[in-house]
Structure formats: C-alpha cells, structure tokens
C-alpha cells in the first residue's frame, strides 16, 4: 500500500479535482493520452534540437537581422542543447506516466506531476520576460500555454489521487476504469 506524506495529502485536498480528463476522457485513458502526447512532444523537441545542431551553419544563415538569436551575445548551442534536455526529460517523465496510468501505480505518475509543474512555471517565466521585452503577443501565447498546462496538471493530480485511493483500498469502487 502506498501512502502520501501528510504535507502532500494536505496539499492534494486544496487542488481541484476533475472527473474527466480533457472534459470527456476517463482518467486512466486521459493519463495514457497525456503521456503519449508528452512522449511525442519530447521526441519533437529532440528532433528539432538535433536538426538545428547538426545544421547549425544553415540555421544561422536563415536568421533575420532582428531575430533574437542573431546576436553575438546569444549562444545557439546553449539554447538547443537545453531544448534537447527538456525533450529528453519529457520523454522520461511521460514514460513513467504511461506506465503508472496503465498499471494503476500512483508513484509512477508523480514524476509527470513535477515535470508539468516545472514546465508551467517556466512558461510563466518566459511570458513575463516577453512582457518586459514588449512582445505582448508572444507573452500572451506563453500565458495561455501555462493555463493549458495547469489544467493538464490538475488532470494528472486527479489521476494520481484516484490511483492512491485504489492502492489504499483495492476493493473500493473507483471513478476510473481500465
């Protein structure tokens, strides 16, 4: 039987709980879809980073005069190596989520909760930076993306709480089905 620490249980009671993931999917199906989307997104980050790093000269030639990466101070290598790290991170935590949602193991869902929360926080930071750079359209896009990620985080927390209930009392009827 798995049990959450008291601080996490207190925090979980304050987080909204949804019945359906993405408004009409069962929680286990929604968790599986979220993890598959995370795996695809992670591989897309990896592929884009590897493509740019492999063809760095062609990428630099395509930058415009006013492009943010076209400064001598900016290092394209750092940007795309960090993007590669983010992609790898998303693949790993999404694989944990996929395994946890299909095998009904709450502790495997927890890394995804941390990953999506960090990603939401980072989107808010980037949006705030864009506000100060006076690019309001991009800032709005980051904030909308952060709100969407927060909703997905609430879905994942609901799945986590459902799976904790199943682990604590396997005979109890649950809201989730397989």
């Amino acid at each position: 039987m798995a049990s959450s620490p008291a601080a996490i249980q207190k925090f979980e009671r304050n987080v909204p709980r949804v019945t359906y993931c993405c408004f009409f999917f069962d929680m286990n199906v929604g968790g599986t879809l979220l993890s598959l989307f995370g795996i695809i997104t992670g591989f897309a980050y990896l592929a884009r980073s590897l493509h740019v790093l492999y063809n760095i000269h062609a990428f630099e030639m395509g930058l415009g005069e006013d492009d943010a990466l076209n400064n001598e101070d900016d290092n394209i290598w750092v940007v795309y190596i960090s993007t590669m790290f983010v992609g790898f991170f998303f693949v790993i935590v999404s694989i944990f989520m996929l395994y946890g949602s299909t095998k009904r193991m709450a502790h495997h869902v927890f890394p995804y909760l941390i990953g999506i929360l960090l990603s939401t926080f980072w989107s808010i930071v980037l949006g705030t930076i864009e506000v100060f750079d006076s690019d309001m359209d991009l800032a709005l896009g980051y904030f909308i993306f952060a709100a969407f990620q927060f909703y997905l985080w609430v879905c994942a927390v609901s799945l986590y709480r459902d799976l904790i209930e199943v682990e604590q009392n396997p005979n109890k009827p649950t809201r989730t089905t397989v």
Side-chain angles (χ1 to χ4, degrees), residues 46-157:
L46 286 170
R48 173 69 175 156
S49 298
L50 289 173
H51 174 72
V52 168
L53 292 174
Y54 183 71
N55 300 314
I56 195 77
H57 183 67
F59 180 76
E60 287 175 336
M61 297 302 286
L63 292 175
E65 281 294 317
D66 59 343
D67 200 323
L69 289 175
N70 202 11
N71 278 335
E72 293 295 323
D73 298 336
D74 292 332
N75 191 342
I76 294 174
W77 288 91
V78 172
V79 170
Y80 282 97
I81 287 175
S82 63
T83 303
M84 213 164 56
F85 172 75
V86 168
F88 181 71
F89 179 73
F90 263 100
V91 168
I92 298 299
V93 299
S94 296
I95 288 172
F96 272 104
M97 173 82 158
L98 180 63
Y99 186 76
S101 66
T102 56
K103 298 294 184 183
R104 301 174 66 100
M105 303 170 103
H107 61 278
H108 283 89
V109 175
F110 198 73
Y112 184 84
L113 295 175
I114 301 299
I116 196 93
L117 198 60
L118 289 174
S119 179
T120 303
F121 173 73
W122 187 243
S123 294
I124 292 170
V125 167
L126 291 175
T128 305
I129 290 170
E130 294 302 328
V131 165
F132 289 115
D133 283 345
S134 299
D135 191 352
M136 299 309 279
D137 292 337
L138 191 56
L140 180 64
Y142 278 124
F143 292 139
I144 289 171
F145 186 66
F148 176 68
Q149 284 184 312
F150 180 75
Y151 172 73
L152 296 179
W153 179 76
V154 169
C155 289
V157 167

